[in-house]
Amino acid sequence: MMRALDRLDFAYQALTRHRWRAVLLVLAIASSVASVLMMTALGQGARNYVTAEFSSLGKEMLVILPGRKETTGGLPPMGSTLRDMTLADMAYLQRRLPRVRIVPLVVGSSEAKFATRLRNTLVLGTTAAFQETHHLQILRGQGLPDLPAEQARPVCLLGRQLASELFGNRDPVGEWLRLDDSRCRIVGIFASTTSSMGLRMDENVVLPVATAQALFNTQALFRLFVQARAGQPLPHLSEQLTHLMRERHQGVEDVTIMSPDALLQTFSDILLTLTLAVAGIGAISLLVSGIMLMNLSLISTHQRTAEIGLLKALGADGPLVRSLFLTEALLLSGSGALLGLGLGYLAVALARQLWPDFPAQVPDAASLAAAGCALLTGLLFAWLPASRAARKPVVDSLRGNL
């Protein structure tokens, strides 16, 4: 009976006799494992990114969107609706729910210009409370004035990045900025530690909501953010808002109210499905590597017929011969799995250095699954050649016939 260490040594010696064949097979398995890790890391990174984006709104925030999402699941409505949300709707909600904070948002695109420099940018119309709900840090100057929502004033805040591009090293506070055919005085420069679903807040202009409505010639609001008071349950608040909006719109329920958790769950489900799909595509390469391993094992058993016969003549039975060939397969697949894990983690670490804003991460389950699949593939595809060698009669093997 051979000891486990003797089997490993025997398998290692057999593989080194055909080292280039073994190296190529190890590289094939390693590339398969590394591709699975990279695919799952991208998917998990996308989920982490979306989670961070929604967490910036806070757990106590609800979002009211114009239009009704009639089906379950899916993304919120993004198009037009028969009836817009207006500042009058916001005022009605605020009167009925005085203890919650309601923040309007108007979004549009404009050409920001100072002297000879210009830049197309997004303009956000809102109130002073937006600075707290969306974590804007005032770097210079002051924030938006605390005006009634219906009152327009030609003042604005500039994101740090946009201010740098338009003004360079010059202090923009107090300067006049032209937005299309309108002008506003810059009262402050802000920075944001978050981006809103890929929207770089540092590249935007923030105006009072009524000023933005006049700039874009609209009364419609893009969104309403409703921040609950501490300890107030969001489901109950959502029901209240739905009832009040239905009452406000003559019995028609034409808005959608969503919480960050609901939006996050929707995106998370979509990204999980995509992650599993791309990981499955990467795992197909493991199947190809397994077929290569089986073919090479068949060739190896044919070339080593006399060796198999000698082993049996010395007393090795069928199960021992099978275990020797399976040990070789485990050495190959195990080495490929370890090398693939190293290459995969190295590639993910390099990606995090090149794109620090994208939190690529290899899930622990993916590492275990990829390595386990590599080992299992090696055993399964080596079983047939190993069993064929184990069943070969001693005399035929010694004659070198297969």
Side-chain angles (χ1 to χ4, degrees):
M1 187 69 180
M2 291 184 70
R3 298 178 302 171
L5 289 178
D6 293 333
R7 295 183 192 182
L8 287 173
D9 183 63
F10 182 88
Y12 176 76
Q13 295 297 331
L15 291 175
T16 54
R17 288 199 296 269
H18 304 280
R19 58 176 60 88
W20 291 113
R21 179 192 302 172
V23 168
L24 289 176
L25 192 54
V26 167
L27 290 177
I29 296 173
S31 63
S32 303
V33 172
S35 65
V36 172
L37 293 189
M38 292 172 62
M39 294 291 189
T40 53
L42 291 176
Q44 185 63 38
R47 297 178 69 191
N48 293 342
Y49 180 78
V50 171
T51 300
E53 294 301 313
F54 280 107
S55 65
S56 66
L57 286 178
K59 296 291 186 180
E60 73 285 358
M61 187 76 71
L62 291 174
V63 184
I64 306 179
L65 309 98
R68 180 65 185 164
K69 180 170 69 70
E70 297 293 344
T71 56
T72 58
L75 298 177
M78 298 297 290
S80 60
T81 178
L82 294 178
R83 182 162 182 169
D84 295 324
M85 289 191 308
T86 64
L87 290 177
D89 294 329
M90 186 189 82
Y92 177 79
L93 294 177
Q94 194 69 78
R95 287 196 302 270
R96 300 295 297 271
L97 299 171
R99 298 180 63 187
V100 302
R101 174 184 286 170
I102 304 178
V103 181
L105 182 65
V106 173
V107 178
S109 178
S110 179
E111 185 179 80
K113 182 177 181 181
F114 177 79
T116 59
R117 298 184 180 183
L118 56 87
R119 165 80 183 275
N120 288 322
T121 185
L122 281 180
V123 176
L124 309 180
T126 185
T127 59
F130 184 84
Q131 297 160 202
E132 296 183 24
T133 58
H134 286 70
H135 311 291
L136 302 187
Q137 178 185 3
I138 303 300
L139 301 178
R140 293 195 296 276
Q142 59 188 16
L144 286 180
D146 191 7
L147 303 171
E150 299 80 8
Q151 182 177 340
R153 183 176 294 179
V155 295
C156 63
L157 300 179
L158 249 63
R160 172 174 51 186
Q161 180 65 28
L162 181 60
S164 175
E165 293 176 358
L166 290 178
F167 293 88
N169 296 325
R170 182 174 178 174
D171 187 3
V173 176
E175 300 287 351
W176 286 93
L177 179 72
R178 179 167 292 278
L179 296 173
D180 292 337
D181 296 328
S182 302
R183 293 198 313 161
C184 61
R185 185 178 292 277
I186 302 169
V187 296
I189 306 299
F190 70 86
S192 176
T193 57
T194 64
S195 61
S196 181
M197 291 308 296
L199 178 66
R200 292 286 302 273
M201 296 290 292
D202 285 358
E203 298 177 353
N204 298 335
V205 179
V206 179
L207 301 173
V209 60
T211 307
Q213 287 180 322
L215 175 65
F216 300 120
N217 191 27
T218 182
Q219 297 299 313
L221 298 178
F222 181 67
R223 296 287 185 268
L224 279 176
F225 298 99
V226 181
Q227 188 175 44
R229 64 180 182 273
Q232 185 176 15
L234 287 186
H236 177 64
L237 178 59
S238 178
E239 291 177 1
Q240 287 182 296
L241 292 169
T242 300
H243 172 74
L244 291 174
M245 289 300 293
R246 187 190 304 118
E247 182 181 88
R248 170 72 179 170
H249 290 180
Q250 291 79 47
V252 179
E253 190 171 335
D254 56 0
V255 297
T256 298
I257 301 175
M258 301 194 74
S259 67
D261 286 342
L263 290 170
L264 175 60
Q265 186 60 48
T266 298
F267 279 104
S268 181
D269 291 343
I270 294 173
L271 291 172
L272 177 60
T273 302
L274 292 176
T275 301
L276 294 177
V278 296
I281 294 172
I284 292 175
S285 58
L286 278 175
L287 179 63
V288 176
S289 300
I291 295 173
M292 290 176 56
L293 176 61
M294 183 175 65
N295 291 335
L296 292 177
S297 297
L298 287 171
I299 295 173
S300 178
T301 55
H302 179 77
Q303 294 175 340
R304 297 163 60 189
T305 302
E307 180 184 337
I308 295 170
L310 182 59
L311 284 171
K312 289 189 173 183
L314 293 174
D317 55 6
L320 178 58
V321 173
R322 182 187 298 112
S323 69
L324 290 175
F325 281 92
L326 291 180
T327 301
E328 292 180 24
L330 278 177
L331 275 178
L332 287 171
S333 56
S335 300
L338 290 175
L339 180 60
L341 289 175
L343 291 175
Y345 276 100
L346 181 62
V348 172
L350 180 61
R352 291 179 69 100
Q353 290 293 324
L354 294 176
W355 300 285
D357 292 337
F358 186 78
Q361 178 186 3
V362 180
D364 294 337
S367 302
L368 295 175
C373 286
L375 294 175
L376 185 61
T377 300
L379 284 177
L380 288 178
F381 282 90
W383 186 267
L384 176 61
S387 298
R388 188 176 180 181
R391 290 194 303 266
K392 190 65 182 171
V394 179
V395 175
D396 290 344
S397 298
L398 288 173
R399 288 174 179 172
N401 298 320
L402 190 62

